[in-house]
Amino acid sequence: MDSVNKTNYIRLLFILFCGLYLSNPLLIQAQELNRELPADTVLVSTDEVTIKGENIPYQVMTGTQPVYGEDGEPDAALYFTYYERTDVDDKANRPIFISFNGGPGAGSLWMHLGYTSPKRLKISDEGYPVQPYGIEDNPHSILDVADIVYVNPVNTGFSRILNDGEGEQFFGVNEDLTYLADWIDNFISRRGRWESPKYLIGESYGTPRVSGLSGMLQSRHWMFLNGVILVSPTGLGLEPAGPAPRSSVLKLPYYTAAAWYHNQLPSELQSRDLTDLLPEVEDFTIDEYLPAVSRGGFIDDAKKQEITGKVAQYAGLSEEFVSNYNNVVPESAFWKELLRDEGFTIGRLDSRYKGIDKAAGGDRYDYPAEYSSWKHSFTPAINHYLRDVLGFETDLQYYVSGPVRPWNRDGNETGEMLRQAMAENPNLKVMVQSGYYDGATDYFSAKYVMWNLDPSGKMKDRFRFEGYRSGHMMYLRTEDLESSNEHIREFIMDSLPEEGAPAQY
């Protein structure tokens, strides 16, 4: 072999090796495992932000805190970012919020750079990606009234399993609650915040997480809370006497909202304001629609046709389409059908977003338009902020959505845990925040869950519901970002008892 051919042969072998290496998931996983995360480290910096015309100086701490195993050694490290206002000396009266996202498997970036922190990603006023990517001050942050820590559970963000830790210790409803409650106990102790009013806020799967944590912190760690905020809640493991939360029947008010947004309702309904129309649809759903479909195939033909007509009107669909599904249209079919004639699908988590499928036929979209849009804007923003601004240096990938499967869903009693915590703690209040255009954890199912958390009705004055003209992450729309943060401020003030007032019935 001459020298030229030998050189080309070596180059070919190198190219083939690189191709095999990059395409082999086992090799990539091995490379990932060699990237080490320190179990216990913190970086500290300072900044300031203007909120409601007031200059707020603050300290931001970002880093890791261990999850300890039974042998006292770290089995995992949770990555967190903590904001603390620095011109307040009285921590005993200073509220602290512990913030979780959901998934399970979602990093804390969504509410961190979208909602309550002093920084937010650059995004359009309606919540669409803009370039250049980056972050900016959030003038609506709640940092003026509360300190906030954003927690990434195991295998989300930069959080990872360490040493002898095993996935089954962490990946499940109750496994998640057990180690996170212990981690929170340690965090509060390290930061000297046992005297402070404490709040949990969770979004999506983060809502069963914080609901269960309210009970576990109270029963096992003797930590009593002032408030829990459920953002776009799931069913919380509830089994009420009526339909299961998030059933296709309960989706009808959401269908109305999405159809109204896209101008698909009959003119007499379309001309009304959304918040004027929705209560009518809610009443129809509970008082007429549910009883009718409960009769199944034995419903009177005339009554069935009447229900078909009303559902079609309220959902912006044809009577034939509704009838073909026996009056109960699955949400996946709705997302595909509503704008089919215009060549678009609509988003699952936020139905304001439109997508394009390969084919107009079928009853499912090709991809979730809203989630693709959100990853487009949030992923570069969180990586830039944590690495370049806060200076956390690591070769680890930031898991926007991390590997946490299989997830053990057995024994989900998180709603009951929240109810029990409220019953035992007269100071504990709950606020639910939902977007009208959220088709996954829809707003009416959120109301339904709230109604059924306390079937006795004895604690209903301690619940609050707020709806927004947005989707799952209602804070992405600038108008709703302002109002939803203001609602949190009001909730804090309402949940702080007067000085010296005893917690008793």
Side-chain angles (χ1 to χ4, degrees):
M1 183 181 293
D2 61 38
S3 60
V4 174
N5 288 333
K6 185 176 181 180
T7 299
N8 289 336
Y9 179 72
I10 292 172
R11 285 176 177 170
L12 178 61
L13 287 176
F14 178 75
I15 290 170
L16 288 171
F17 171 79
C18 289
L20 288 169
Y21 179 81
L22 293 175
S23 64
N24 190 325
L26 294 178
L27 290 174
I28 294 173
Q29 183 180 22
Q31 183 188 37
E32 176 77 1
L33 291 173
N34 288 329
R35 298 169 178 170
E36 295 182 358
L37 181 74
D40 202 347
T41 186
V42 171
L43 299 173
V44 182
S45 57
T46 58
D47 205 341
E48 58 185 34
V49 62
T50 301
I51 302 173
K52 302 182 73 171
E54 181 183 7
N55 184 63
I56 309 295
Y58 64 88
Q59 173 181 270
V60 54
M61 305 173 67
T62 194
T64 58
Q65 180 183 294
V67 175
Y68 292 107
E70 293 182 359
D71 59 359
E73 295 298 317
D75 280 353
L78 298 196
Y79 185 80
F80 69 91
T81 306
Y82 174 49
Y83 297 91
E84 187 174 78
R85 184 169 175 171
T86 54
D87 62 348
V88 176
D89 296 325
D90 182 14
K91 290 186 179 180
N93 289 306
R94 173 80 172 165
I96 181 170
F97 270 69
I98 303 165
S99 179
F100 291 99
N101 275 97
S108 69
L109 70 164
W110 309 108
M111 289 205 293
H112 183 177
L113 290 189
Y115 195 3
T116 50
S117 93
K119 296 293 184 183
R120 76 177 293 221
L121 79 163
K122 294 178 180 177
I123 199 166
S124 76
D125 285 345
E126 290 296 315
Y128 292 88
V130 294
Q131 288 182 285
Y133 304 115
I135 57 168
E136 59 190 9
D137 285 348
N138 179 8
H140 308 297
S141 168
I142 61 169
L143 188 62
D144 56 330
V145 295
D147 299 328
I148 324 156
V149 58
Y150 300 89
V151 185
N152 293 274
V154 171
N155 273 13
T156 73
F158 292 135
S159 299
R160 296 293 191 273
I161 296 173
L162 303 177
N163 304 324
D164 297 328
E166 299 288 344
E168 55 263 29
Q169 294 175 238
F170 309 107
F171 303 151
V173 175
N174 293 302
E175 294 85 347
D176 187 67
L177 300 178
T178 300
Y179 85 83
L180 286 174
D182 185 65
W183 190 93
I184 291 170
D185 185 313
N186 194 16
F187 182 86
I188 293 296
S189 295
R190 287 187 174 196
R191 306 304 160 205
R193 302 305 295 268
W194 275 97
E195 294 177 291
S196 303
K198 301 170 192 68
Y199 296 81
L200 300 178
I201 180 171
E203 177 180 82
S204 196
Y205 185 81
T207 58
R209 178 173 280 145
V210 299
S211 297
L213 282 171
S214 70
M216 190 162 288
L217 286 170
Q218 191 166 297
S219 63
R220 297 190 186 180
H221 297 265
W222 308 282
M223 182 183 296
F224 285 67
L225 306 172
N226 283 70
V228 173
I229 298 178
L230 308 176
V231 179
S232 305
T234 69
L236 306 184
L238 292 179
E239 296 183 4
R246 298 165 66 185
S247 75
S248 294
V249 175
L250 295 178
K251 296 277 189 180
L252 182 59
Y254 148 72
Y255 291 170
T256 302
W260 183 91
Y261 180 83
H262 291 289
N263 295 302
Q264 297 299 306
L265 294 177
S267 57
E268 63 175 293
L269 299 180
Q270 190 67 51
S271 63
R272 295 166 60 182
D273 185 71
L274 179 63
T275 53
D276 171 64
L277 174 61
L278 288 179
E280 175 185 313
V281 186
E282 294 174 15
D283 289 344
F284 167 76
T285 300
I286 292 294
D287 298 334
E288 297 184 56
Y289 187 24
L290 274 173
V293 298
S294 296
R295 291 187 176 274
F298 286 76
I299 187 174
D300 177 78
D301 286 343
K303 184 63 177 179
K304 183 177 182 179
Q305 185 58 44
E306 177 189 340
I307 295 298
T308 300
K310 287 187 175 181
V311 171
Q313 281 194 320
Y314 286 139
L317 303 171
S318 71
E319 290 191 22
E320 180 183 11
F321 187 82
V322 173
S323 179
N324 284 343
Y325 283 101
N326 298 315
N327 289 347
V328 183
V329 177
E331 50 267 36
S332 60
F334 176 77
W335 299 324
K336 182 76 172 184
E337 175 69 15
L338 185 68
L339 299 182
R340 193 190 301 265
D341 291 345
E342 297 179 18
F344 297 107
T345 61
I346 61 171
R348 168 179 174 262
L349 291 162
D350 191 330
S351 293
R352 297 176 302 148
Y353 292 72
K354 294 190 286 188
I356 300 175
D357 279 358
K358 182 178 181 180
D363 60 359
R364 293 179 179 274
Y365 55 50
D366 292 349
Y367 66 97
E370 78 298 330
Y371 190 45
S372 296
S373 176
W374 296 343
K375 289 185 293 184
H376 185 165
S377 51
F378 272 88
T379 304
I382 193 67
N383 277 284
H384 162 67
Y385 181 53
L386 298 180
R387 299 174 192 274
D388 303 333
V389 179
L390 298 186
F392 191 79
E393 296 182 1
T394 179
D395 283 341
L396 288 169
Q397 178 186 357
Y398 184 95
Y399 283 154
V400 173
S401 180
V404 298
R405 301 291 191 271
W407 189 266
N408 180 11
R409 297 184 180 273
D410 293 341
N412 180 359
E413 297 183 352
T414 53
E416 172 58 19
M417 293 172 78
L418 176 57
R419 188 207 65 79
Q420 183 73 18
M422 293 181 71
E424 295 181 11
N425 178 4
N427 283 343
L428 179 56
K429 296 188 175 182
V430 173
M431 179 165 69
V432 177
Q433 296 182 304
S434 290
Y436 295 129
Y437 307 128
D438 180 0
T441 57
D442 62 286
Y443 91 91
F444 190 57
S445 289
K447 278 189 176 182
Y448 183 77
V449 166
M450 184 180 72
W451 295 341
N452 286 278
L453 273 171
D454 173 33
S456 74
K458 294 176 181 177
M459 297 187 292
K460 63 183 179 182
D461 61 337
R462 289 156 60 190
F463 288 93
R464 172 175 176 170
F465 178 87
E466 295 292 343
Y468 306 91
R469 299 186 186 224
S470 302
H472 192 71
M473 297 197 293
M474 73 287 168
Y475 43 80
L476 292 186
R477 182 170 174 260
T478 300
E479 182 178 328
D480 293 321
L481 173 69
E482 180 176 5
S483 62
S484 57
N485 274 298
E486 192 60 33
H487 291 150
I488 294 179
R489 290 188 184 86
E490 294 169 3
F491 179 70
I492 292 172
M493 294 304 298
D494 186 52
S495 59
L496 292 174
E498 293 184 9
E499 186 175 355
Q504 67 180 70
Y505 289 115

